[in-house]
Amino acid sequence: MNSVLITNAVIADSGSERSDGWVLVEDGRIAAVGHGELDETAIEAFDAEGGTLFPGFIDVHNHGAVGIDVNAADADSLVAVGEFLSKHGVTAWLPTLVPDADENYARIVGEIERVMAIQAEMPIAQILGVHYEGVFANENMCGALRPEFFKRFTGSEVRELPRLQSGVHMTTLAPEVEGGVELVKALTADGWVVSIGHTEANVETLDAAFEAGARHLTHFFNAMTGIHHREVGVAGWALTREDVTFDIIADGIHVDPRMVEFACRTKSPERVSLISDSVAPTGLGDGTFELWGERVSVENGRTRNERGSIAGSVITMLDAVKMAASLGFSMSEIARMASRNPARLIGLSDETGSIAAGKRGDLVVLDAEMNVAAVFIGGRRV
Ligand SMILES: [Zn+2]
């Protein structure tokens, strides 16, 4: 039996600041968690030396990294992204597709399927499914998405979004597009996670979308209408409805750090997920890149396409976690925003996203500077 015992850790999601926490992982699953005295033994031991132990970070919005764009990736390059992410504390992710030609959607879903069939044996960030950002989006709120691939819902296109044999299916859509609320209903009935985004929907349409099953918003504040005391806007709707959750890009560029703090505090860390929304140049530094049919420059960590839009981020979840820490969020709040809430959003909170017996051994040890000291995926050390 494979086993690993991590000791001398602050366990982030326990709420305790004691640094004598320990976790035993057996055969890929967390077998026991505790503080202080222990009489457990394991084949492999890891001394966290007072570092903080987080559940592995889960990124539900990621377009790629290290020069690899998910829309253009094959199985080998998806594995390379998974390797890169794992070194930054990400233990699971949803490859996120921007609107594209139907043939390419079918191709990339086939490649994702190939990785999902073999990844369990590899200590790389595990692909949990697929996230389609669009194609049912509002042209006025397209951001870096290419409107020429946008669709309207007439009752059949939902079947045209290629599905995996198993796994999470998530899509970001604008409920005000023609047939949008019907589409939310159809997708929810089919088991999709429907997130509202790239939208300027009014409150009535948003409420109707909520009733139809859309309870979450994609990259809060970005590509949506804002908040005004006489014009509630999409952002205002999300902040004033307690039962709505959202995710946010905590790179300090898409949203000013003070507004990240405001949004996460107002919504509550119980109902916010951190995402990277990273794109292919992530991990490569500044430069000029070809992305989604346009030239994208990266300057001081800010992406910019030919239309002048921000075209995704170049951060990892670890950077988002560091940002949250710098804004004063506690380790347990960060563990919720980076792991538990995204796991819950996609219906996998029984499987991963927290440090508890029975969960997958997906764990990250951060040192005092919040740098990665060790990552375990399914109990295997990266
Ligand atoms: Zn995106």
Side-chain angles (χ1 to χ4, degrees), residues 110-139:
E111 299 297 318
I112 290 171
E113 199 104 65
R114 283 176 55 200
V115 178
M116 290 177 79
I118 56 165
Q119 65 184 359
E121 302 305 312
M122 308 164 90
I124 59 170
Q126 303 284 295
I127 295 178
L128 300 176
V130 62
H131 179 174
Y132 291 92
E133 185 179 9
V135 293
F136 300 98
N138 187 322
E139 286 84 353

Side-chain angles (χ1 to χ4, degrees), residues 148-166:
E148 64 263 37
F149 296 113
F150 285 10
K151 289 184 179 186
R152 295 285 161 266
F153 182 59
T154 54
S156 62
E157 292 91 334
V158 53
R159 314 277 171 214
E160 288 173 20
L161 289 179
R163 294 194 62 148
L164 300 159
Q165 289 177 23
S166 66

Side-chain angles (χ1 to χ4, degrees), residues 61 63 96 98 133 145 198 219 277 292:
H61 194 138
H63 300 287
T96 302
V98 293
E133 185 179 9
L145 307 184
H198 290 278
H219 46 52
D277 198 0
W292 306 334

